[in-house]
Amino acid sequence: MTSGPAAVSGPAAPAPPRVLTVAGSDSGGGAGIQADLKTMLALGVHGMSVVTAVTAQNSTGVHGSWELPEAAVRAQYRAVVDDIGVQAVKTGMLASATLVETVAELLATTAAPAVVDPVGVSKHGDALLAATALDAVRTLLLPAATVVTPNLDEVAQLTGLTVENEDGMRRAAGAILAYGPRWALIKGGHLAAHGGRAADLLTDGTEEHWLRAPRYGNRHTHGTGCTLASALACGLAQGLTVPDAARAAKAYVTGAIAAGFALGAGIGPVDHGWRTRA
């Protein structure tokens, strides 16, 4: 009988930075918890998760959604944070006012930067946040955020503003900052391109950083918002400033969009592993 390789003793390798995602599960693997963890692995951090809801989802849309109990969300969060610790937290789909209130309370007790992606609807237009939860997002969740990353539909949902140009993005940022986050990253991907480029605006009300990148014709962009917010949280966990983390996240998600691929009969995902395959 042969024995296996001898064990090598020695000190354990140092742990990488740790990032916790608090979000819903996407069974199709393109967005939500799955996109977040893929992004974290690609960017060199240890990803951990708190599942807030389970969706039956594929390339054509969300076909069902089941919210987890508040106690289950709280227990997952405390289990990770109290034992392992975190260097950043990212939130996504929170589904209901109860879960928004719970997560906001948990973030307030955590001494780590928080990136809040105020997910309202899916790429296919399916609602992922109850209308009754909007006030809790405005008054409880956004004040707990280091950075909030709404797209233009989410800006309209939260502030009532319709953004049609870059000046409108400035007004939107001001309206979002009025709710209390330290920084707002307004994603302008739905605007008509200026010179063939997509522009996002990052500001804390004093500094203004425009993040511009080529706009690609690829329709397979499922998971873009989750991926950007997760990449931003990774940068913060690695010690980058908010502007530097946002620039790095924009570069990563731009490459992922360019490499997005078809799956199923509808909209495919961005490619979280594009750097490896490149």
Side-chain angles (χ1 to χ4, degrees):
M1 181 175 179
T2 59
S3 60
V8 178
S9 61
R18 288 144 286 164
V19 180
L20 177 62
T21 170
V22 183
S25 169
D26 172 3
S27 56
I33 289 282
Q34 288 81 354
D36 297 340
L37 294 177
K38 291 175 188 179
T39 299
M40 292 169 192
L41 180 63
L43 295 179
V45 308
H46 176 65
M48 304 168 291
S49 62
V50 172
V51 179
T52 59
V54 175
T55 69
Q57 191 170 170
N58 58 23
S59 70
T60 65
V62 178
H63 302 280
S65 177
W66 298 268
E67 175 188 341
L68 267 68
E70 178 270 341
V73 171
R74 185 181 296 275
Q76 291 176 83
Y77 191 99
R78 292 263 62 97
V80 170
V81 174
D82 293 348
D83 173 50
I84 299 171
V86 294
Q87 276 75 56
V89 181
K90 176 261 178 182
T91 74
M93 177 186 177
L94 299 183
S96 70
T98 296
L99 292 189
V100 170
E101 292 164 5
T102 298
V103 172
E105 175 193 329
L106 292 167
L107 291 179
T109 69
T110 305
V115 178
V116 170
D117 184 13
V119 175
V121 296
S122 74
K123 179 69 69 178
H124 306 89
D126 304 292
L128 298 176
L129 180 71
T132 53
L134 287 173
D135 279 345
V137 171
R138 296 182 189 104
T139 62
L140 299 175
L141 188 62
L142 296 192
T146 307
V147 190
V148 60
T149 64
N151 62 31
L152 300 186
D153 290 336
E154 291 155 355
V155 164
Q157 194 176 39
L158 290 167
T159 71
L161 294 176
T162 300
V163 176
E164 298 179 343
N165 52 42
E166 292 187 357
D167 282 341
M169 291 175 69
R170 288 189 178 95
R171 290 192 294 274
I176 292 292
L177 288 172
Y179 291 120
R182 288 176 50 200
W183 292 82
L185 175 57
I186 308 299
K187 298 178 292 192
H190 294 172
L191 285 182
H194 291 266
R197 297 175 73 78
D200 301 333
L201 171 61
L202 173 72
T203 180
D204 64 353
T206 302
E207 299 179 31
E208 186 176 282
H209 304 267
W210 286 94
L211 310 177
R212 303 183 189 277
R215 183 185 294 270
Y216 296 101
N218 188 358
R219 68 187 290 264
H220 300 297
T221 56
H222 184 50
T224 303
C226 303
T227 300
L228 178 67
S230 293
L232 178 51
C234 290
L236 296 178
Q238 291 164 331
L240 297 180
T241 65
V242 171
D244 285 346
R247 280 188 281 268
K250 176 77 169 181
Y252 172 73
V253 78
T254 298
I257 291 169
F261 50 86
L263 282 182
I267 299 173
V270 301
D271 184 0
H272 299 94
W274 67 272
R275 285 177 171 161
T276 301
R277 279 184 271 279

